Amino acid sequence: MSRIDTHHHCLPPLYRAALQRAGITDAGGRELPQWSAEASLETMIALDIDTAILSVSTPGTTFLPEPADATALARDINDYSAALVAEHPARFGFFATVPLPHVDAAVDEAIRALDVLGADGVVLLANSSGTYLGRPGQDDLFAALDARAAVVFIHPAHLPGRGVDGIPAFAADFLLDTTRAAYLLVRNGIKRRYPNIKFMLSHGGGFVPYAAHRMAVSLLGDTGASPADSLDDFADFYFDTALSSSPAALPSLLAFAKPGHVTFGSDWPFAPLAASQLFAADLENYPLDPGTRTAIERTNALALFPRLGPGPQLPNSVPLPARIRRNAGRVVMRTVARMMATR
């Protein structure tokens, strides 16, 4: 077994019980699946996964409006996860849950989970009760994470506002939610002010690889940031392949992400085993050189989680390929030309 799965969910019994008490029976339009550590281990064998980094999916603790209740649940989830990792240290890791949007409580729990429990990182929802990552007021949390060079796994949640009948959130809204958070983290300078944080975007980054040039042009008009710098910030995210390794999605992701910034993800159990196997097969069948394939499936994750074994030492920043910078300039020039023509 060789893969390291950076997008593998857990539903501890105490968490499921809390959801049930609140009347929550689904996440993103999918019924809450059954989960156990034993079932995870069986799935990992089927998907050739050596180690899975566990995380709680949406809604996290956001369904509990009282900070004390959300904090208590986050602590219980993290204590459970840490105990599971202690029992299977080579097979599991975990991203700690923190009680956002309550920033002070989230800081305290992030520090406890990383410093005391040995969490491999933290999971943050793209939006918590409508408050997006990257909005003002979150600097204390980012400072604590930056000081610890933390891996931050960004997972989508339900979009604020009413959904559209017939479109389950996981089908399209989740991708937009991730993209919104990424945009704000770049727009508001979080990526640059806290360079030690390794932000990982779920599901191939949502729309980020496909739409990054468009977003860079938007930032030019909004903040004056150079398109090349904005593109560099977007490409500096880490990305997982969960439900995103199709023959249509992979070319965009691999052309855009920086070297060493793509990791394997299954999204199990919210993605049934058959779906995880389908996307894993797409990755297996995609024409990659052996080094790139091994990097995506294992060694890129080893660089993020060195406790799992020796991995490559990646620089914090790798310049974008000249081709992307050149294309960014062309996009800007065409945009400016159109603006001038309409005056």
Side-chain angles (χ1 to χ4, degrees):
M1 294 179 287
S2 61
R3 288 174 173 146
I4 296 175
D5 185 357
T6 62
H7 190 146
H8 192 111
H9 292 302
C10 63
L11 286 91
L14 58 95
Y15 179 60
R16 182 184 291 275
L19 293 173
Q20 290 175 339
R21 287 194 296 271
I24 297 172
T25 59
D26 75 285
R30 294 192 64 86
E31 183 180 354
L32 293 176
Q34 295 300 313
W35 176 85
S36 67
E38 294 74 21
S40 270
L41 291 168
E42 292 174 2
T43 299
M44 290 159 64
I45 293 172
L47 292 173
D48 193 25
I49 295 167
D50 191 18
T51 305
I53 310 298
L54 303 174
S55 58
V56 164
S57 183
T58 185
T61 64
T62 59
F63 64 97
L64 297 172
E66 293 299 324
D69 295 336
T71 299
L73 180 58
R75 289 177 66 91
D76 288 345
I77 291 170
N78 295 334
D79 288 342
Y80 176 94
S81 300
L84 183 58
V85 172
E87 186 177 353
H88 304 278
R91 305 307 308 278
F92 292 127
F94 82 101
F95 289 123
T97 296
V98 299
L100 283 179
H102 313 296
V103 174
D104 290 343
V107 171
D108 290 343
E109 185 55 21
I111 292 172
R112 186 184 81 94
L114 293 168
D115 293 0
V116 179
L117 299 183
D120 295 283
V122 300
V123 53
L124 302 180
L125 295 181
N127 88 86
S128 297
S129 301
T131 299
Y132 271 92
L133 290 181
R135 286 296 190 193
Q138 301 167 356
D139 285 275
D140 287 349
L141 176 59
F142 291 130
L145 297 172
D146 186 75
R148 291 159 176 80
V151 179
V152 173
F153 177 54
I154 298 177
H155 194 279
H158 285 269
L159 292 176
R162 183 178 177 182
V164 177
D165 291 342
I167 303 179
F170 77 89
D173 294 355
F174 272 13
L175 304 177
L176 175 58
D177 200 47
T178 300
T179 305
R180 284 176 169 180
Y183 186 93
L184 289 172
L185 289 169
V186 172
R187 179 195 183 279
N188 293 334
I190 304 301
K191 290 283 281 103
R192 300 218 162 201
R193 291 207 304 276
Y194 304 102
N196 296 317
I197 300 175
K198 282 80 172 179
F199 289 103
M200 181 181 293
L201 302 179
S202 301
H203 306 120
F207 304 132
V208 169
Y210 183 82
H213 286 77
R214 178 188 182 113
M215 293 191 291
V217 170
S218 173
L219 288 169
L220 172 65
D222 183 19
T223 66
S226 79
D229 286 345
S230 295
L231 283 170
D232 199 59
D233 288 342
F234 282 120
D236 193 53
F237 284 106
Y238 288 79
F239 305 85
D240 71 49
T241 65
L243 303 182
S244 303
S245 53
S246 70
L250 270 177
S252 179
L253 175 59
L254 296 178
F256 183 71
K258 288 186 178 181
H261 281 229
V262 179
T263 65
F264 177 83
S266 71
D267 205 8
W268 191 84
F270 286 93
L273 178 58
S276 296
Q277 288 175 319
L278 173 65
F279 282 93
D282 283 339
L283 180 60
E284 291 168 0
N285 294 327
Y286 192 80
L288 295 171
D289 65 83
T292 300
R293 186 178 305 282
T294 300
I296 292 172
E297 296 191 338
R298 183 171 181 85
T299 56
N300 290 345
L302 287 177
L304 294 172
F305 311 110
R307 76 169 184 85
L308 299 178
Q313 297 300 309
L314 300 177
N316 284 333
S317 179
V318 180
L320 275 176
R323 173 177 53 82
I324 295 180
R325 290 184 179 274
R326 184 168 61 251
N327 289 344
R330 290 171 180 168
V331 169
V332 174
M333 291 304 295
R334 288 197 295 268
T335 302
V336 172
R338 292 192 198 101
M339 292 172 62
M340 295 297 293
T342 58
R343 287 184 176 178

